[in-house]
Amino acid sequence: MRMTAPLLLSLVPLLLSLAVSDALAAPGKHEHTVLMQGKPAGKQSVDNAADGSATAEYQFSDRGRGDHINGRWTLDAAGIPTRYDAEGNNYLKVPVKEHFSLQGGKASWKNDSEQGEKTLSTPAFFLPLNAIPEIQGVLARALLKAPDRKLALLPAGEARLEEGGTLEVAGKNGPRTLSLYRISGLDYTPGSVWLDANGDTAAVIFASGWVSVIAPEYQDALPKLIEFQERAGAQWALRMARELTHAPKGSLLIRNARLFDPRDLTVTANTSVLIENERIVRVAPDASLKAPANAEVFDAGDRFLMPGLWDVHKHYSDSDGAMDIANGITSSRDVANNTDAFLEKIKRFDAGTEIGPRVLAAGFIDGPGPYAGPTKMLVATPEEAIKAVDWYADHGYMQIKSYSSLKPELVPVIADRAHARGLRYSGHVPAFMSAKQFIEAGADELQHLLFVELNFMYPRVQDTHTMARLTEVAAHAAEFPPEKPEVREFIAFLKRHHTVLDPTMGIGEDLFAGNPQDKTPPGLKTVASRLPPQAQRNLSWGALKAPKGEEDAYAKSFPAMMRLLKALYDAGVTIMPGTDALAGYMLHSELSIYARAGIPNAEVLRLATLTPSQVLGVDKDRGVIAPGKYADLVLIDGDPIKDMEDIRKVDAVFKGGKRFDPAQIEKALGIVPRKGAGGGK
């Protein structure tokens, strides 16, 4: 049989796959560079021996934080670990140590928050809790050799491998063909790893290129790899959107709802909402609103119907959009992201080719230096600052967010330029500047309540680049109760300046009130067991461990922050809920904390719906269930006016009149739906 050129080309992916699947990582030393938003941040070094053993070192620096792990492992002939040992520090610089062994069919493992053992009847791959990125390559190679490309995971779960395609790139030593593999079972959506023709790890790219671990030979090709990987992820998201978006063929009439109005905090039973295309056209009592001839009728079953929720502190990647929709979040604000793949993701949300909310974008700016944030927009002069603001304004951003390494003298430059271009301005308070000075220089908003706390510690605490911005708050927040004169004075200052606060209390509870040995934040205790097994292992940022003698102060810090939040609310300071953490589910925790702090539940719901719409200038279209507004609605199987925990009982979500069943989205993401969940009648 004569092999034609087209036939040969069609066999290339298959031949490449067979070559890779037959190979372990080549013996010798393999170096990888760690990049954050394309900028060098660390390295990974792996030394593979011919007998299947390897030693590795992985370290990177991110604003004074970052992992540093030294690991050793041994693989069997199938590429599955029989031993793994590692020690070092995690992202928050907390010491970590991990051990796994497989002997005589019995697996045992231990790390700082897990310990277990299991007798195996079939092969299983152990995933370390603080894994070196190369482990993803090790797993991909093992899956290529496994039956049906599936392997059980330890401590729990199952990994499955699928091919994502091949890409020819210009390596430093000539053209190379790399294979993309997608691994399901590690998170809510498939993870990705790139292997070269020898089966060695070419790159592991996380969160649309936020972090990339890549062999130097392919570093120049990173943009192409990210683009190719994003296309594969977009195709996965498109299939999911097509399957799970329920669009009415004509008008949509929602009947028999208890409708919450954040304008006057009322709840009206027996209410109907008529929707045409993506807008609400009428809201009226059931008895007075007849269904149009072509209408699809949705029975709310006397459940609680409210405007879509907001999350104003997001960093979108992977499955975040779908998880937001599943939890009733139909509008959001992203406050730091890349400037390419992220914008494409927003377009997909808007087009309906990926499930996600309506997103407003804040452009991220910082100053250069060892603690610089992960952004390409690093500015050191007024000219650079103005140029960065203009770029964001020209590309449709509605706000600027600056970070801790920005020179304080550039704050008024950015504020003035942002305001001249019609943009808001917020951020972390730059190091060597107080929150009061930041606001006086032109900032409209503060991210994180901890910067309010740090204002009371200035000038004693000035260098907030480092972990000090967390540990000083943990140690001293209780020393500044709301009744203290300087606290009352600053609260009044915030009110006079109409300063908005994005307090991120959920992540604050995780850091200041969590258990350092527990990987589940307090606010996710009720949902963690429903999440994919591997995702459950890394839900927490990592609670702060109190130094000896400071246990009492640390324990009092978060209750003190809750009292401060209530005092700010009582004084009339505008608060908007945001998370900076797990998509969707953490917003419910945020709102629960507000209620526990003493803010009335109905007011909490207003803060989560109407308030962000007004502050961010989109209340013409959002924030209320009323004629002319977008049909962005959430149906709750409970009454969050009586019990804020009921906000977690999301039964149906409407974005622009299209309905989403949270249980269906959760199943698609490997999440066990809430017991009793149902999308409507």
Side-chain angles (χ1 to χ4, degrees):
M1 175 179 173
R2 185 171 178 267
M3 300 290 282
T4 64
L7 179 58
L8 283 170
L9 288 173
S10 70
L11 289 174
V12 167
L14 174 62
L15 294 172
L16 184 64
S17 173
L18 291 172
V20 169
S21 66
D22 194 45
L24 295 174
K29 198 163 189 178
H30 301 266
E31 301 285 349
H32 291 77
T33 302
V34 180
L35 304 171
M36 295 195 71
Q37 294 282 34
K39 297 182 180 298
K43 66 177 183 178
Q44 174 186 267
S45 178
V46 181
D47 196 351
N48 293 307
D51 63 358
S53 64
T55 59
E57 180 180 15
Y58 169 61
Q59 65 85 21
F60 77 97
S61 179
D62 176 23
R63 297 161 284 176
R65 296 163 281 185
D67 298 49
H68 189 172
I69 306 288
N70 286 285
R72 302 166 298 285
W73 60 83
T74 302
L75 309 178
D76 65 14
I80 295 174
T82 58
R83 187 177 181 88
Y84 180 89
D85 291 280
E87 58 187 358
N89 62 260
N90 66 12
Y91 180 73
L92 288 180
K93 299 297 186 184
V94 176
V96 294
K97 192 172 184 179
E98 191 155 17
H99 170 74
F100 165 80
S101 66
L102 176 62
Q103 293 181 325
K106 185 176 182 179
S108 61
W109 59 91
K110 183 178 181 180
N111 54 52
D112 297 293
S113 59
E114 300 171 334
Q115 183 171 356
E117 59 182 38
K118 187 174 183 178
T119 300
L120 303 179
S121 57
T122 57
F125 191 105
F126 174 73
L127 274 180
L129 181 63
N130 295 284
I132 293 169
E134 173 62 14
I135 293 297
Q136 196 140 321
V138 175
L139 175 58
R141 289 186 287 272
L143 285 165
L144 281 165
K145 297 169 73 72
D148 300 322
R149 295 186 173 180
K150 294 181 181 179
L151 278 172
L153 295 175
L154 294 173
E158 180 185 75
R160 302 173 302 282
L161 187 80
E162 64 179 26
E163 296 178 16
T166 59
L167 180 66
E168 185 170 296
V169 301
K172 294 188 184 300
N173 297 311
R176 295 288 186 270
T177 300
L178 304 183
S179 295
L180 173 64
Y181 292 97
R182 291 167 56 80
I183 306 175
S184 301
L186 305 184
D187 209 337
Y188 309 98
T189 55
S192 296
V193 59
W194 289 87
L195 302 183
D196 65 18
N198 296 320
D200 296 328
T201 306
V204 183
I205 301 169
F206 303 97
S208 302
W210 189 280
V211 177
S212 304
V213 183
I214 188 166
E217 179 175 1
Y218 309 117
Q219 194 165 324
D220 291 343
L222 180 60
K224 288 185 65 176
L225 298 181
I226 293 174
E227 181 183 2
F228 191 94
Q229 184 171 311
E230 284 293 297
R231 284 203 303 271
Q235 285 299 311
W236 188 91
L238 175 61
R239 292 193 297 271
M240 180 176 169
R242 286 174 173 169
E243 292 172 5
L244 303 184
T245 303
H246 304 282
K249 294 179 180 178
S251 301
L252 173 66
L253 179 62
I254 300 174
R255 284 204 178 282
N256 193 20
R258 288 183 292 119
L259 189 144
F260 171 70
D261 191 331
R263 294 171 295 189
D264 56 12
L265 308 183
T266 57
V267 178
T268 306
N270 304 315
T271 300
S272 289
V273 180
L274 180 62
I275 299 164
E276 291 184 5
N277 299 316
E278 63 178 358
R279 302 253 178 195
I280 298 166
V281 298
R282 183 166 298 185
V283 178
D286 289 335
S288 65
L289 210 167
K290 291 185 178 181
N294 65 339
E296 176 182 317
V297 178
F298 180 94
D299 184 0
D302 196 38
R303 285 171 288 182
F304 190 92
L305 187 67
M306 62 180 292
L309 297 166
W310 276 85
D311 185 338
V312 302
H313 198 122
K314 299 289 301 185
H315 304 286
Y316 277 99
S317 68
D318 301 326
S319 61
D320 289 353
M323 291 172 71
D324 274 350
I325 291 293
N327 286 278
I329 298 165
T330 59
S331 290
S332 65
R333 179 184 62 181
D334 187 291
V335 291
N337 220 306
N338 59 57
T339 54
D340 32 53
F342 163 64
L343 297 179
E344 293 303 312
K345 180 177 281 287
I346 290 180
K347 290 178 183 177
R348 295 196 297 271
F349 288 170
D350 292 342
T353 56
E354 181 171 346
I355 298 174
R358 306 180 194 275
V359 181
L360 301 178
F364 189 33
I365 298 176
D366 201 9
Y371 298 105
T375 176
K376 298 174 183 177
M377 298 294 190
L378 300 178
V379 303
T381 67
E383 293 76 18
E384 291 174 346
I386 290 170
K387 183 179 179 181
V389 172
D390 284 344
W391 189 94
Y392 284 124
D394 292 342
H395 286 79
Y397 288 71
M398 48 71 63
Q399 185 165 332
I400 298 298
K401 175 194 174 186
S402 62
Y403 209 67
S404 301
S405 291
L406 184 72
K407 293 178 182 177
E409 60 266 29
L410 293 182
V411 169
V413 176
I414 291 175
D416 290 349
R417 190 62 171 187
H419 294 150
R421 295 298 306 269
L423 277 59
R424 304 180 73 256
Y425 176 40
S426 71
H428 287 209
V429 176
F432 308 104
M433 193 179 203
S434 70
K436 185 172 185 288
Q437 292 168 345
F438 184 54
I439 293 161
E440 288 174 333
D444 304 300
E445 177 184 344
L446 294 175
Q447 264 74 56
H448 307 300
L449 186 72
L450 68 87
F451 285 108
V452 177
E453 297 281 9
L454 286 166
N455 187 76
F456 309 133
M457 305 171 199
Y458 184 89
R460 182 180 64 80
V461 179
Q462 294 192 47
D463 188 357
T464 53
H465 285 116
T466 67
M467 287 288 290
R469 71 168 176 253
L470 303 179
T471 56
E472 290 291 333
V473 170
H476 300 289
E479 299 170 16
F480 300 95
E483 59 270 18
K484 200 167 187 176
E486 62 193 280
V487 177
R488 291 203 308 269
E489 179 183 332
F490 187 58
I491 290 174
F493 169 86
L494 294 174
K495 172 63 176 174
R496 286 196 308 273
H497 284 75
H498 304 283
T499 305
V500 177
L501 181 63
D502 158 22
T504 61
M505 296 297 287
I507 198 171
E509 184 180 40
D510 184 11
L511 288 166
F512 301 112
N515 180 349
Q517 273 70 53
D518 189 346
K519 288 296 180 180
T520 303
L524 296 177
K525 292 290 186 184
T526 61
V527 300
S529 63
R530 298 199 287 115
L531 304 179
Q534 291 300 323
Q536 292 180 33
R537 302 175 73 198
N538 283 292
L539 292 173
S540 174
W541 268 66
L544 298 174
K545 185 176 181 180
K548 189 173 181 179
E550 295 186 43
E551 293 87 353
D552 186 58
Y554 270 54
K556 292 178 178 177
S557 62
F558 191 69
M561 295 173 76
M562 290 178 68
R563 289 193 295 274
L564 177 60
L565 180 76
K566 178 59 161 54
L568 288 159
Y569 166 80
D570 288 342
V573 175
T574 300
I575 296 167
M576 300 193 299
T579 58
D580 197 16
L582 180 68
Y585 303 92
M586 189 56 95
L587 182 77
H588 300 158
S589 303
E590 184 82 9
L591 302 184
S592 179
I593 292 169
Y594 293 5
R596 283 161 41 207
I599 301 175
N601 286 12
E603 294 282 1
V604 173
L605 297 184
R606 171 154 52 194
L607 296 179
T609 55
L610 181 57
T611 299
S613 301
Q614 294 171 329
V615 171
L616 302 178
V618 293
D619 53 314
K620 180 180 77 70
D621 294 315
R622 313 185 211 179
V624 178
I625 300 175
K629 309 288 186 182
Y630 284 133
D632 296 350
L633 320 170
V634 186
L635 189 67
I636 305 292
D637 187 21
D639 190 347
I641 300 291
K642 294 179 180 178
D643 183 355
M644 190 51 67
E645 283 298 306
D646 279 357
I647 198 69
R648 301 182 189 274
K649 300 176 181 178
V650 180
D651 259 5
V653 181
F654 300 84
K655 178 193 171 189
K658 295 176 180 177
R659 179 174 61 85
F660 298 91
D661 182 339
Q664 291 180 347
I665 294 176
E666 288 182 322
K667 286 180 182 178
L669 297 175
I671 301 168
V672 177
R674 173 178 56 83
K675 188 176 181 180
K681 300 177 182 177

